[in-house]
Amino acid sequence: MEKNDLDQVVSVLANSRNTIVVTGAGISTEAGIPDFRGPDGIYRKLGENQVMNIININAFNRNPEEFYAFYRQHFVFPPAVPGKAHQVLADMEKKGRVKGIVTQNIDSLHEKAGSRKVIAIHGTADRYICRNRGCQVVYGDEYVKSYEDIVPRCKKCGSVLKPDVVLFGENIKNYVEARDMILGAQVLIVIGSSLTVYPLAGFVKEFSTFYQDLIIINKGRTQLDHAALLKIDGGHTGDTLEEINRQMDLRGK
Ligand code: NAD
Ligand code: ZN
């Protein structure tokens, strides 16, 4: 990162009373979880349509066997621990520099790093919920990983379990809270998102029409590069955030 860019980010953050962070799959690639749209992502390998047709609430209801065969192969992430970027954001929250995170990720790494105010609009991959409305028992991913059949079922009632993640065709979680948090920000930092997935991309777009302090840290283009006060593209995202945080320590902000 250019020194001028770093100074500018630090100044903007130092003057902000309410900095909110939006994160996408790109913040977790350095922790070993591949993104979908990056060069090795499954959208490149399989095509976006195939993924959307299977990771879809109608496909889940119609054919859970087919859904789970695909889901288990591509969506059950290897065990991962938070990367440097997650850790720095948690530290920035403790120091009052970040007030909250809205994430598209389903890997729970922000929470594991110690961030407290996290809105996970696409849910959580390590939770599964019984589909029977009268039952709704919650299971951890160990139960599903070690289940003897491809389609995991509830111990109590025998119904199919659904991953607690938002599938295509479903509404995001905490829509109102996420939008309010983003539009209420003084400074918004987007990290590791191409800003193509709606409605989150729409919230960021709305923010950028009314306010100007949008900072984007992303490898590759995003849909809102033109609206950003500053775009940081390239480098190691964890190191970039660490340096920003360190400069703020030095300034006592
Ligand atoms: P996306 O559209 O937000 O794209 C990810 C972006 O991050 C890409 O532009 C990529 O170039 C960039 N990126 C990759 N590595 C980076 C790095 N080290 N630093 C900065 N930027 C980097 O997300 P997607 O991959 O298209 O995924 C779509 C949806 O699927 C997500 O919103 C999420 O719900 C789900 N998903 C979640 C995870 C996860 O929880 N870790 C992983 C894959 C997909
Ligand atoms: Zn049940």
Side-chain angles (χ1 to χ4, degrees):
M1 184 175 36
E2 305 261 333
K3 190 174 175 306
N4 283 348
D5 289 351
L6 176 73
D7 287 346
Q8 202 184 347
V9 174
V10 171
S11 298
V12 168
L13 294 185
N15 288 314
S16 167
R17 279 165 290 102
N18 187 19
T19 299
I20 298 298
V21 178
V22 164
T23 65
I27 197 170
S28 294
T29 55
E30 288 165 10
I33 300 178
D35 58 13
F36 290 171
R37 287 188 172 74
D40 302 318
I42 55 169
Y43 283 180
R44 295 274 172 96
K45 285 190 222 153
L46 303 173
E48 196 160 344
N49 279 347
Q50 194 195 338
V51 179
M52 277 167 119
N53 286 340
I54 299 186
I55 302 303
N56 182 298
I57 187 63
N58 298 318
F60 175 84
N61 288 331
R62 206 171 42 234
N63 192 341
E65 284 76 17
E66 192 187 19
F67 173 90
Y68 265 110
F70 189 83
Y71 190 86
R72 281 179 182 277
Q73 193 183 347
H74 298 289
F75 281 72
V76 177
F77 300 134
V81 292
K84 192 188 275 180
H86 299 96
Q87 283 161 2
V88 172
L89 289 180
D91 187 58
M92 290 178 81
E93 183 184 356
K94 277 194 201 90
K95 291 173 175 159
R97 294 168 188 162
V98 164
K99 299 293 183 200
I101 299 174
V102 176
T103 187
Q104 297 194 129
N105 294 343
I106 53 177
D107 55 28
S108 306
L109 291 182
H110 287 303
E111 292 87 341
K112 286 183 184 156
S115 288
R116 272 172 299 187
K117 194 128 179 65
V118 182
I119 301 180
I121 57 169
H122 289 170
T124 307
D126 51 18
R127 278 163 50 100
Y128 293 78
I129 301 178
C130 174
R131 281 298 265 172
N132 173 357
R133 279 177 192 275
C135 178
Q136 297 199 335
V137 175
V138 176
Y139 294 85
D141 60 346
E142 284 315 314
Y143 179 81
V144 171
K145 279 180 183 161
S146 59
Y147 197 80
E148 68 275 10
D149 201 0
I150 195 150
V151 178
R153 288 180 177 276
C154 178
K155 266 202 282 224
K156 217 173 127 204
C157 75
S159 301
V160 171
L161 304 184
K162 181 186 168 289
D164 191 20
V165 301
V166 173
L167 305 179
F168 290 106
E170 290 189 296
N171 293 326
I172 65 161
K173 294 172 188 276
N174 306 305
Y175 183 103
V176 174
E177 293 81 354
R179 182 171 176 275
D180 283 356
M181 198 192 253
I182 289 171
L183 293 187
Q186 186 176 347
V187 176
L188 193 65
I189 314 177
V190 172
I191 306 172
S193 172
S194 60
L195 294 173
T196 43
V197 181
Y198 276 75
L200 185 72
F203 300 159
V204 178
K205 194 170 176 181
E206 212 178 329
F207 171 87
S208 74
T209 13
F210 295 112
Y211 309 85
Q212 66 157 8
D213 288 345
L214 173 65
I215 296 168
I216 299 178
I217 304 177
N218 193 66
K219 285 198 175 138
R221 280 191 58 238
T222 84
Q223 296 300 315
L224 289 173
D225 287 351
H226 61 277
L229 178 68
L230 218 92
K231 162 85 189 291
I232 296 168
D233 188 330
H236 184 280
T237 296
D239 290 347
T240 301
L241 290 172
E242 186 176 50
E243 189 53 26
I244 291 168
N245 201 25
R246 202 178 68 85
Q247 292 291 334
M248 293 188 78
D249 284 341
L250 291 176
R251 288 200 194 186
K253 286 287 187 179

